[in-house]
Amino acid sequence: MPEGDTVRQVARRLHDALAGKVLTRSDFRVPRYATVDLTGRTVLDVTPRGKHLLTHVEGGLTLHTHLRMDGSWRVFAAGQRWSGGPAHQIRVILATADRTAVGYRLPVVELLRTADDERAVGHLGPDLLGPDWDAEQALANLRADPARPLGEALLDQRNLAGIGNVYKSELCFLLGVTPWLAVGELPADRAAKLPILAKKLLEANRDRPVRRTTGVRGQDLFVYGRAPRPCLRCGTSVRVADQGDGSRERPTYWCPACQRGPAPRPGRPAGGGPRRGRA
Ligand SMILES: [Zn+2]
């Protein structure tokens, strides 16, 4: 699932392919924009904001897309075979003389006036990888709802932007608390470390093809996806359970020995694998 660092890599690929070039083709395969044609306009830049992508086009237009769970943008050279999925999953095609960017399975495709960008992304908290990053503000946002489980608060992009489901589990592991611990009960020293650790994780991975959090050779992640294998640190069997508000349950991993705090009620389904939902 795309997290802030992945979205940044996608943005850079798109930017390198499109920015400063004239569009020779645009094809929107979403009913609302079926008749829109951006041919002849120059792409100004592709900018990531949290997990959102803003493609700015000459004439004051912004193409706002979001990858959510399984959307992707692929860039192909002229004549290259498109490999992002079957044709019916294509939502947008933007082509220049030598590159074609194809957006597959994009759940969010929205054209807006660039002056209205904030309408699309103004709700986001400080972006972990953005120029607006503000650790104190992010922490204050998280603490505004002290009863909320930490894992849920970390995924809420209004608090801080960029953390997805993988980093949620990894970050809680690194902080030594379970994702079900109420934000208000996070010890002060851990709370102070949280924004710094989160930023470090995303920054360390912003240019890597494979997400890594451990520094352990051959092991990319501490707990995410490891259940029921042993914890890398203590050997206890890693556990998995769903966390969410019912409509957006996500598989959540933790080590019951390394992490302090409440666990979900026993009897809950222990992770039926990743589910579709909103990112
Ligand atoms: Zn452990």
Side-chain angles (χ1 to χ4, degrees):
M1 184 195 56
E3 312 226 4
D5 53 348
T6 315
V7 173
R8 218 146 270 266
Q9 292 176 19
V10 173
R12 189 177 311 151
R13 270 202 302 279
L14 284 175
H15 184 88
D16 290 348
L18 303 175
K21 309 219 179 111
V22 176
L23 291 172
T24 55
R25 176 187 180 193
S26 88
D27 186 352
F28 287 82
R29 300 191 181 168
V30 287
R32 198 171 154 202
Y33 302 118
T35 60
V36 169
D37 187 2
L38 302 179
T39 303
R41 295 179 193 245
T42 300
V43 175
L44 303 175
D45 62 81
V46 181
T47 302
R49 282 285 301 276
K51 296 197 272 177
H52 299 251
L53 287 160
L54 302 176
T55 302
H56 295 119
V57 180
E58 183 187 26
L61 285 177
T62 299
L63 169 61
H64 166 222
T65 56
H66 194 295
L67 309 176
R68 293 237 163 99
M69 295 303 273
D70 60 359
S72 74
W73 272 105
R74 306 289 285 271
V75 175
F76 304 107
Q80 192 184 349
R81 213 176 112 85
W82 295 1
S83 55
H88 73 266
Q89 294 182 348
I90 294 174
R91 297 290 172 269
V92 187
I93 300 169
L94 296 176
T96 65
D98 60 348
R99 289 283 183 278
T100 303
V102 185
Y104 293 89
R105 300 174 299 278
L106 301 172
V108 176
V109 175
E110 184 187 22
L111 263 178
L112 52 143
R113 300 246 145 237
T114 299
D116 295 334
D117 273 8
E118 286 305 299
R119 216 170 57 201
V121 295
H123 64 286
L124 295 175
D127 186 336
L128 278 157
L129 293 176
D132 67 327
W133 173 243
D134 180 340
E136 275 179 40
Q137 185 61 52
L139 199 53
N141 293 347
L142 285 168
R143 284 170 149 167
D145 187 355
R148 197 166 186 200
L150 178 62
E152 284 178 36
L154 287 174
L155 276 190
D156 189 333
Q157 307 294 305
R158 293 170 298 184
N159 289 333
L160 72 176
I163 294 183
N165 205 38
V166 175
Y167 287 131
K168 177 191 88 169
S169 287
E170 295 296 295
L171 196 52
C172 288
F173 177 84
L174 291 169
L175 290 168
V177 298
T178 73
W180 287 269
L181 184 78
V183 170
E185 287 170 26
L186 191 64
D189 61 323
R190 314 278 168 91
K193 258 176 32 189
L194 188 157
I196 300 159
L197 265 176
K199 189 170 169 58
K200 217 163 104 182
L201 278 185
L202 264 77
E203 263 176 355
N205 284 286
R206 93 200 276 173
D207 299 318
R208 280 188 194 145
V210 175
R211 222 174 261 145
R212 286 189 68 181
T213 61
T214 65
V216 179
R217 203 185 162 88
Q219 305 287 351
D220 295 324
L221 302 170
F222 279 114
V223 286
Y224 189 88
R226 278 191 71 83
R229 285 180 288 157
C231 168
L232 287 181
R233 198 172 272 168
C234 77
T236 303
S237 176
V238 169
R239 294 181 60 189
V240 58
D242 287 337
Q243 182 177 40
D245 60 9
S247 61
R248 297 164 69 179
E249 300 276 328
R250 303 288 191 72
T252 299
Y253 297 82
W254 81 105
C255 170
C258 290
Q259 294 172 256
R260 300 289 169 84
R265 287 189 307 277
R268 290 198 74 186
R275 295 203 193 146
R276 299 174 70 85
R278 291 161 64 94

